[in-house]
Amino acid sequence: MNTRVKSGGAGRGARSLARIAAVQALYQMDIAGTDLNDVITEFQTLRFTATDEAAGAGETDAQFFADILRGVVRHQRDIDPAIDEQLAAGWRLVRVDSILRAILRGGVFELMERRDVPARVVINEYIEVAHAFFDDDEPKVVNGVLDRLARRLRPTEFEARAADAAEG
């Protein structure tokens, strides 16, 4: 596993790029102990322009990026136990790969606090983020954890679809 995003950034939207950057920043904060405000400044002033140009993509949504980071830090005491409950028996979040931990934290934050983003969009976006870093089973782990939490945190979004399917 490496901490660099695999190629293929072209075609990603501003929020998708923000999620990938947020995962990288959360990883950096976790591993190096970088301060929240310092990492936000570093990414917004040094990394976004170079990354966006190299990827041939549009600009990263810098505000969305900062909102994810601040939200994960602010709600980490709620996020981590929620993830722990969804992991396989005997697994704890502290045992999970640092990048995977960052992906799960970002996704759970969005499910908990960003009601403006549909749960299925959050799940799909973070599965794609996982694919940007991993080739093995990690995207399946992200899917399983986020899907179970989404159904618990936002049941009405899933009930409405089930009702539509039953009628159709």
Side-chain angles (χ1 to χ4, degrees):
M1 197 279 312
N2 77 47
T3 57
R4 296 192 50 86
V5 177
K6 295 183 245 173
S7 62
R12 288 195 173 116
R15 282 193 166 186
S16 295
L17 292 170
R19 288 179 178 100
I20 290 171
V23 166
Q24 291 173 315
L26 289 167
Y27 171 83
Q28 181 175 327
M29 291 167 61
D30 194 21
I31 296 301
T34 309
D35 176 74
L36 171 66
N37 293 319
D38 291 345
V39 80
I40 290 172
T41 300
E42 174 188 338
F43 273 74
Q44 291 179 342
T45 59
L46 301 174
R47 295 192 184 198
F48 285 164
T49 304
T51 301
D52 293 343
E53 289 173 4
E59 290 187 17
T60 301
D61 185 334
Q63 184 61 51
F64 192 67
F65 161 81
D67 289 348
I68 292 170
L69 290 183
R70 288 187 182 109
V72 168
V73 169
R74 187 173 50 254
H75 297 286
Q76 193 164 344
R77 288 187 177 168
D78 298 320
I79 292 169
D80 287 2
I83 296 169
D84 267 336
E85 290 174 11
Q86 302 307 315
L87 294 174
W91 278 89
R92 305 273 306 169
L93 187 58
V94 294
R95 291 184 57 198
V96 171
D97 176 89
S98 298
I99 288 284
L100 183 57
R101 188 166 50 239
I103 293 168
L104 292 170
R105 284 174 172 159
V108 172
F109 162 72
E110 283 197 54
L111 289 172
M112 288 179 160
E113 298 295 322
R114 294 299 305 238
R115 300 293 174 155
D116 59 313
V117 182
R120 285 182 173 82
V121 171
V122 172
I123 295 165
N124 288 333
E125 284 285 325
Y126 281 95
I127 290 169
E128 289 303 312
V129 171
H131 279 294
F133 291 97
F134 299 101
D135 291 321
D136 295 321
D137 291 333
E138 289 85 352
K140 292 177 186 173
V141 172
V142 170
N143 183 34
V145 168
L146 295 183
D147 183 70
R148 286 189 300 275
L149 278 170
R151 289 173 188 280
R152 191 177 89 208
L153 295 168
R154 299 187 187 186
T156 56
E157 288 185 48
F158 293 89
E159 291 165 3
R161 184 141 182 201
D164 290 344
E167 289 177 10

